[in-house]
Amino acid sequence: MAGLVKQTPGAIGYVELIYALQNKMDYAKVQNKKGKFIVPSIESVTSAGNVKLPDDSKIFITDTDAADGYPIAGFTWVIIYKDQNYNGRSMDRATKLLKLLWWNIHEGQQFAAPLNYAPLSKEALKVAEKILKSATYGGKTIL
């Protein structure tokens, strides 16, 4: 689809920001809910997620309420079991998974922007931390 759009004068399509940047594709400002025309960028995508999020993180941030947020943005989720004691899984394996995910949302964020991905917003980080801290093994918290 992206190749066809790129080759067709006047064509419009949608690809993720990293793809447009890496392939030097033209992109447009899009008007958000607040009436502002926003350029797609790492910053405007992060801003889109800097709104009140539900504790379970089940939200779509398209047409975000964030004044400087790009209106066509979204999260990538990792889905885990709340209780990690399943299918013979060890406490060690569960702990390593939770520590990896914690690293992803903290230290790992330094790698997002250089790879043209938007780092988590402060609000998204708070919700992610809360979810990871609620994970258990046999009813006892892991982190």
Side-chain angles (χ1 to χ4, degrees):
M1 190 279 302
L4 187 59
V5 169
K6 194 172 180 180
Q7 295 174 37
T8 307
I12 297 173
Y14 178 80
V15 295
E16 70 175 311
L17 178 59
I18 188 173
Y19 189 88
L21 294 173
Q22 288 176 343
N23 290 284
K24 298 176 180 34
M25 295 179 73
D26 291 333
Y27 48 85
K29 292 179 182 179
V30 176
Q31 187 176 17
N32 69 12
K33 191 184 281 188
K34 301 293 184 188
K36 293 176 69 177
F37 285 88
I38 306 294
V39 173
S41 68
I42 292 168
E43 296 78 18
S44 65
V45 171
T46 294
S47 181
N50 206 27
V51 294
K52 176 69 178 140
L53 303 174
D55 287 343
D56 63 7
S57 79
K58 293 178 185 173
I59 187 173
F60 291 99
I61 55 173
T62 51
D63 205 17
T64 178
D65 287 325
D68 294 325
Y70 189 65
I72 309 173
F75 289 117
T76 300
W77 290 274
V78 173
I79 299 172
I80 62 169
Y81 286 102
K82 181 175 176 80
D83 193 274
Q84 290 289 302
N85 185 13
Y86 61 92
N87 292 340
R89 169 174 228 154
S90 70
M91 174 65 164
D92 180 60
R93 185 172 177 188
T95 301
K96 285 177 180 172
L97 171 67
L98 272 288
K99 286 183 176 181
L100 171 64
L101 295 174
W102 190 266
W103 181 89
N104 285 346
I105 66 171
H106 290 94
E107 294 86 356
Q109 291 297 294
Q110 68 182 309
F111 301 105
L115 295 170
N116 294 319
Y117 284 98
L120 289 174
S121 67
K122 290 177 185 171
E123 286 297 316
L125 176 61
K126 283 194 276 187
V127 171
E129 285 178 339
K130 187 173 182 178
I131 290 170
L132 293 178
K133 286 180 180 179
S134 74
T136 58
Y137 187 89
K140 294 181 181 178
T141 57
I142 298 171
L143 295 179

